[in-house]
């Protein structure tokens, strides 16, 4: 920093300010606060998918599944957060049916709805509901084997899934309109229950009331089968000992004569919401908060507010932007202000890394699991590992190379993670066989760090070849630097992939009875190990020159991408034409891009600028 | 990358393709199965020895070709080409780092296609095809894009039984040729020695490991396990003592019996009338077309008027071939009868049809005859007390599967309880029992049972390799840091 001249100091200041502003942006409210305090609402705990989480998480993940994005934009172009839409869906399902949230990209499916407007991609439930029979009819005809479906069939299946998700969400807090709104329904039930208690057993009027109650019973029973949330904590007048859904709670109420106060409070909240009565809504939310803190096990729900803040902060999105910035600064350092800009890039990368680390730590805290539990978190971890490695390498060389490669890799892997998050809750529960924190904490991160290092070597190779062949040649010193970086990182990749694979073998031996089973994922890891060994032997035997080593490292990218994603597509994808789904397409695009860079190394001769300098 | 190296690699692929086709022409591969033109067992050993020689000579040959193509270089004065003896050339070739690189590249390719083919053949068969053979032919699958137009495309590559021995040879010979002891390289022999051990261990496992399973309902017990992939033909002498006498033959004995098998203690001989690795068995009444009379006159086949047809073997994951045979028993007094035996005539598997045991009487003794999943008997009786299937609250995501078992030891008359659950197998009598599956609304539990005498080898060898890698990595970091300091 001391060596910076005035202009450089100003630039550094501006860059840090940009980082700060990006950060501040995440703290800003997602959209103008409406009449009703939806922040308090989105912080209420619910049980879904086997764990307790804030309503906020459910709102975001289901909005992603239904719309492919978190934000909701209405017909007039006003932007809202996922929570505002979700609150409307849960508290005023009738009005929410007009929100255009269903995203349909396939023109034939749009045609199915009688629409010809190619511009429109979002549809409301009310628009869809007119064509439910058509959609269901078409859906029943699609290929039952997902791998064999055409893109039209896939689009239909996705639409059907979105409709089911939507359907299972709408009536989780208030029942469908039976007699007007929920408060009216509840008061009719309460009156019927009171009447029944007063009336004589066997009398005509008693029979009428009993019949009415039986009708309610049937409704609630049907309802309870279609709800994906369990928002009602244990205890209360119904004496449940676990979290349960609205249908179950109301069914029990019909038997013991008393409606759960939380259910009643949600009914009143819904009424206040529909009347846009902010005061009443806040009062009901306060009541709900009190009821939840009385009944929910404080230990179980202690992480719910934190998870909401974590969602709101979206640390990985932030890191993604910051890595992009770091990459640009590092690339500029090759044009002017060499070491100074490289130092700035290093600092920016460090800021991104700090937030990235915080995000991973937050996930570990919420889930009480080691960092990598599914494909999504592996993407986050791959970027993290690469940036961590490069913080050390860049500090040593300070030429912008490692910073560029790592921030590019960090950016790319976070993008991949972002798209993977569209499949649902990223903090899902672990399948039984994976339920072993010891192996999750040892085998998985080790293998994933191996992926990081293999990718890092490949990205360094890309920087080497592109700079050398397309952007004016590499200075000799820098070329040597990259060569030793790639060598060191490949050694590292070999070490970690091998140890990770061995740990995986031990785990497999413990749980399935074989150390090695030639399973696709195992084979993928083995291929990385073999390829790293090959690169190292080629270097030791001086069989190929520096460019060859770089090309081999880039080939390593292809192999690693195959191990990471390709093997996951095998089971479902490779059977058929259906495998041209988007993930497969991107994998192929990545492979082609890598082959392109490799062939640049062959086609364009090495520049000899190194001799001049 | 080095184009000369690439061309040599292609040459090796070509050579292996040539050998496979020759072997196929000589019908040596016929034993290996109906659809995979792969060299098997003994011939593969011969061929791999041959290939060792070829691979050893290839670098020399290529150099000679290159030199003869560029006569100017070859005849540089003062650099007269010394005649190279075959032994020397083999030694040089076998120890060369070029060979190492080719073998590693070959392994990557083999593993890749071995993974790809699992989609069509299932893991068990793909593993056998790719890693337990000297050569493999990959065929472009019909199901891939442009499958119809590209299905002619076949790729021959060296298989596991060729690459493995070559790697071991390469490592050992190179060690003698190049290695000079030094502290800086102390990790290298550890790594290489560990890899040799790992490969040998994998071979041992491949040859010796048997996978069994055991289905138990709650309250049931059993003293045997059944193999996943092997069948046996048995004659059981129910005898007069309490214990049965089981005469067992591997089904391969039926296939290769030349018609007759016998045992000196059995009062009859067994004629194999017909045998199929996979078959379809159905009642004649359910058949749409007319079928001729079947040769069996006793047992289930005759009683239920079954029709049996040979089918191509299946290799799909989780499917099992219906191994079947028609056998005729004849004693001193002439023919006893002809039976249809098949491994689907089972008494125990859940969610399957129940079949009675096929038994008959001869000379006052009761016998049973069957093809069944190969059994291994345990030194004790295992009883399933309770199976549990826990889910996360409000979902169907399984949280835990566990089987509470009781082990009855008949010799001591004692018994003890044990719990088998995810990641916590039971080790007993040289076998390891894993929780694997369940059925019938969580009342039946399947245990996978593995016998592998080599299971300790990968532990030791990977420990050695990891130690070597870590040492080498730390040493080079150290050297690197010192060089930085001095420079």
């Amino acid at each position: 920093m001391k060596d910076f001249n005035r202009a450089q100091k100003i630039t550094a200041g501006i860059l840090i300010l940009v980082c700060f502003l990006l950060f501040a942006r995440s703290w800003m409210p997602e959209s103008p606060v409406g009449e009703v305090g939806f922040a308090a609402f989105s912080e209420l705990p619910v049980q879904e998918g086997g764990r307790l989480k804030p309503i906020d998480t459910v709102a975001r993940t289901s909005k992603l599944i239904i719309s492919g994005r978190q934000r909701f934009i209405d017909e007039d172009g006003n932007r809202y957060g996922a929570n505002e839409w979700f609150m409307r869906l849960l508290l005023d399902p009738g009005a929410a049916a007009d929100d255009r949230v269903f995203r349909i990209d396939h023109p034939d499916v749009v045609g199915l709805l009688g629409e010809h407007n190619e511009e429109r991609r979002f549809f409301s439930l009310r628009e869809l509901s007119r064509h439910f029979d058509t959609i269901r009819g078409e859906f029943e005809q699609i290929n039952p084997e997902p791998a064999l479906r055409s893109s039209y069939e896939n689009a239909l299946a996705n639409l059907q899934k979105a409709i089911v998700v939507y359907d299972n969400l709408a009536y989780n807090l208030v029942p469908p309109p039976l007699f007007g709104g929920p408060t009216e329904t509840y008061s009719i039930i309460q009156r019927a229950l009171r009447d029944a208690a007063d009336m004589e057993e066997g009398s005509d009027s008693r029979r009428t009331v009993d019949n009415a109650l039986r009708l309610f019973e049937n409704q609630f029973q049907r309802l309870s089968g279609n709800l994906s949330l369990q928002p009602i904590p244990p205890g209360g007048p119904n004496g449940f000992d676990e979290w349960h859904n609205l249908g179950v709670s109301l069914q029990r109420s019909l038997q013991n004569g008393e409606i759960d106060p939380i259910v009643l409070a949600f009914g009143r909240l819904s009424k206040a919401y529909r009347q846009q009565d902010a005061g009443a809504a806040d009062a009901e939310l306060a009541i709900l908060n009190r009821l939840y803190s009385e009944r929910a096990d404080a230990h179980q729900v202690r992480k719910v507010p934190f998870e909401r803040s974590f969602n709101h902060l979206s640390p990985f999105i932030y890191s993604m932007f910051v890595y992009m910035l770091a990459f640009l600064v590092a690339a500029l350092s090759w044009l002017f202000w060499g070491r100074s800009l490289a130092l700035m890039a290093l600092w920016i990368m460090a800021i991104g890394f700090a937030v990235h680390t915080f995000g991973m730590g937050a996930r570990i805290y919420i889930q009480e699991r080691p960092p990598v539990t599914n494909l999504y978190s592996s993407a986050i971890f791959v970027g993290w590992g690469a940036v961590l490695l490069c913080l050390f390498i860049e500090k040593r060389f300070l030429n912008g190379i490692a910073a560029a490669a790592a921030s590019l890799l960090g950016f790319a892997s976070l993008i991949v993670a972002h798209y993977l998050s569209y499949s649902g809750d990223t903090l899902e529960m672990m399948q039984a066989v994976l339920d072993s924190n010891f192996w999750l904490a040892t085998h998985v991160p080790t293998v994933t760090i191996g992926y990081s290092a293999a990718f890092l070597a490949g990205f360094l190779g890309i920087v080497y070849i592109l700079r050398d062949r397309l952007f004016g040649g590499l200075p000799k010193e820098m070329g040597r630097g990259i060569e030793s970086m790639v060598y060191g990182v490949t050694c590292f990749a070999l070490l970690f992939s091998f140890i990770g694979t061995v740990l995986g073998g031990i785990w497999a031996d413990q749980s399935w009875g074989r150390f090695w089973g030639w399973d696709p994922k195992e084979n993928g890891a083995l291929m990385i190990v073999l390829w790293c060994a090959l690169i190292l032997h080629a270097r030791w035997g001086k069989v190929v020159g520096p460019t060859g080593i770089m090309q081999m490292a880039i080939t390593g990218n292809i192999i690693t991408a195959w191990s990471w994603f390709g093997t996951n597509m095998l089971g479902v994808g490779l059977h058929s034409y259906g495998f041209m789904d988007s993930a497969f397409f991107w994998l192929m695009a990545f492979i082609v891009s890598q082959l392109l860079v490799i062939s640049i190394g062959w086609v364009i001769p090495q520049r000899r600028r190194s001799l001049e300098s | 990358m080095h184009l000369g190296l690439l061309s040599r690699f292609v040459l090796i692929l070509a050579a292996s393709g040539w050998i496979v086709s020759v072997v196929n022409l000589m019908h040596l591969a016929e034993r290996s199965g109906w659809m995979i033109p792969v060299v098997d067992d003994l011939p593969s050993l011969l061929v791999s020895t041959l290939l060792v020689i070829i691979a050893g000579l290839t670098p020399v040959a290529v150099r000679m070709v290159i030199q003869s193509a560029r006569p100017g270089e070859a005849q540089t004065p003062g650099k007269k080409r010394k005649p190279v003896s075959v032994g020397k050339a083999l030694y040089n070739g076998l120890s060369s780092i070029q060979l190492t690189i080719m073998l590693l590249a070959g392994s990557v390719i083999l593993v890749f296609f071995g993974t790809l083919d699992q989609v069509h053949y299932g893991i068990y068969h793909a593993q056998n095809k790719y890693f337990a053979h000297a050569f493999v032919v990959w065929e472009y699958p019909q199901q891939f894009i442009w499958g119809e137009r590209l299905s002619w495309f076949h790729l021959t590559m060296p298989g596991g039984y060729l690459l493995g021995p070559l790697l071991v040879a390469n490592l050992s010979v190179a060690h003698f040729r190049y290695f000079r002891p030094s502290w800086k390289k102390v990790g290298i022999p550890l790594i290489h020695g560990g890899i040799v051990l790992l490969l040998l261990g994998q071979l041992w496992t491949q040859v010796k490991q048997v996978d069994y399973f055991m289905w138990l309902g709650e309250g049931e017990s059993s003293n045997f396990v059944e193999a996943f992939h092997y069948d046996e033909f048995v004659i059981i002498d129910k005898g007069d003592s309490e214990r049965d006498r089981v005469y067992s033959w591997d089904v391969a004995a039926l296939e290769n019996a030349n018609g007759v098998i016998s045992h000196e203690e059995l009062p009859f001989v067994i004629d194999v009338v017909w045998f199929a690795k996979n078959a379809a068995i159905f009642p004649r009444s359910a058949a749409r077309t007319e079928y001729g009379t079947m040769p069996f006159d006793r047992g289930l086949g005759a009683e239920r008027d079954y029709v049996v047809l040979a089918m191509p073997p299946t290799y799909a994951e989780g499917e099992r071939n219906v191994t079947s045979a028609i056998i005729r028993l004849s004693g001193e007094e002439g023919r006893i009868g002809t039976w249809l035996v098949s491994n689907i005539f089972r008494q125990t598997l859940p969610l399957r049809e129940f079949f009675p045991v096929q038994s008959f009487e001869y000379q006052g003794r009761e016998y049973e005859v069957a093809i069944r999943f190969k059994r291994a008997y345990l030194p004790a009786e295992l009883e399933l007390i309770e199976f549990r299937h826990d889910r996360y609250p409000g979902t169907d995501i399984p949280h835990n599967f566990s089987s509470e078992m009781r082990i009855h030891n008949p010799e001591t008359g004692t018994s003890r309880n044990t719990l088998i659950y995810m990641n916590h197998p039971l080790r007993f009598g040289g076998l390891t029992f894993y929780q694997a599956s369940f059925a019938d609304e969580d009342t039946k539990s399947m245990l996978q049972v593995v016998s592998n005498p080599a299971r300790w080898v990968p532990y030791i060898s990977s420990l050695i390799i990891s130690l070597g890698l870590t040492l080498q990595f730390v040493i080079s970091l150290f050297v690197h840091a010192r060089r930085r300091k001095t420079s």
Side-chain angles (χ1 to χ4, degrees), chain A residues 447-512:
Chain A
V447 164
T448 318
I449 283 273
Y451 290 170
S452 299
F455 272 131
L456 184 57
F459 274 64
L460 286 167
I462 295 176
V463 172
Y464 182 98
I465 289 197
L466 291 187
R467 275 219 61 192
D468 189 52
R469 304 297 152 89
L470 296 182
F471 298 102
L474 265 178
K476 195 173 183 179
E477 179 73 5
M478 204 181 256
R480 289 257 173 81
I482 301 181
E483 281 161 35
S484 60
M485 281 181 217
V486 169
Y487 173 64
V489 173
T490 307
C491 288
F492 189 85
L494 176 65
L495 178 68
F496 274 79
S497 315
F498 181 80
I499 292 183
T501 310
V502 164
L503 288 170
I506 296 175
W507 185 8
D509 188 53
Q510 298 293 329
S511 61
W512 298 308

Side-chain angles (χ1 to χ4, degrees), chain A residues 47-51 230 242 369 396 429-436 439 484 487-488 491-492 494-495 498-499 502 505-520 523-524 526-527 530-531 533-534 537-538 540-541 543-544 548 551-552 555 559 562 567 570-571 574-577 579-580 584 598 602, chain B residues 1-3 5-6 97-98 100-102 104-108 111-112 114-116 118-120 123 127 131 142-148 167 188 192 195 198 202 206 209 211 392-395 397-401 422-425 427 432 434-435 448 450 452 455 458-459 461-463 465-466 469-470 473 476 480 484:
Chain A
Q47 180 181 280
E48 192 230 22
R51 75 181 182 95
Q230 295 99 42
E242 50 192 16
R369 292 281 182 194
R396 148 106 174 74
M429 303 309 281
M430 308 293 297
Q431 295 279 344
V433 68
L434 301 173
D435 186 11
S436 155
W439 293 112
S484 60
Y487 173 64
C491 288
F492 189 85
L494 176 65
L495 178 68
F498 181 80
I499 292 183
V502 164
I506 296 175
W507 185 8
D509 188 53
Q510 298 293 329
S511 61
W512 298 308
R514 81 281 187 298
F515 185 87
W516 191 257
W518 303 106
D519 154 278
N523 288 351
L526 175 65
M527 280 165 71
L530 289 169
W531 192 253
L534 189 147
H537 283 90
W540 290 325
V543 179
V544 296
Q551 287 168 321
M552 282 177 158
T555 314
I559 291 175
W562 161 259
T567 48
L570 263 186
L574 281 178
H575 287 287
S576 69
Y577 304 97
F579 74 45
M580 287 303 284
F584 185 80
I598 292 172
W602 273 321
Chain B
M1 278 170 257
H2 205 284
L3 286 175
L5 202 65
L6 218 60
I97 200 156
Q98 281 89 341
T100 315
I101 289 171
M102 284 183 200
L104 287 173
S107 311
V108 171
V111 172
F112 175 74
T115 316
L116 213 54
Q118 290 182 359
V119 176
H120 307 289
I123 289 187
Q127 170 191 343
F131 305 109
Q142 290 277 352
Q143 295 91 330
F144 278 21
I145 4 178
W146 302 311
E148 285 129 43
L167 258 176
I188 303 286
H192 288 169
I195 288 174
L198 190 68
Q202 180 60 33
Q206 218 144 276
Q209 171 162 331
D211 289 320
Y392 288 104
T395 67
I397 307 172
H399 178 238
N400 185 42
F401 303 102
M422 294 276 109
N423 299 322
H424 289 82
R427 297 187 198 284
T432 316
Y434 301 86
Q435 182 65 53
Q448 179 162 352
V450 177
N452 178 10
R455 68 179 295 267
Y459 284 81
S461 54
S462 48
L463 192 73
I465 302 171
S466 305
L469 281 172
T470 315
F473 189 72
S476 51
H480 184 72
R484 260 180 72 197

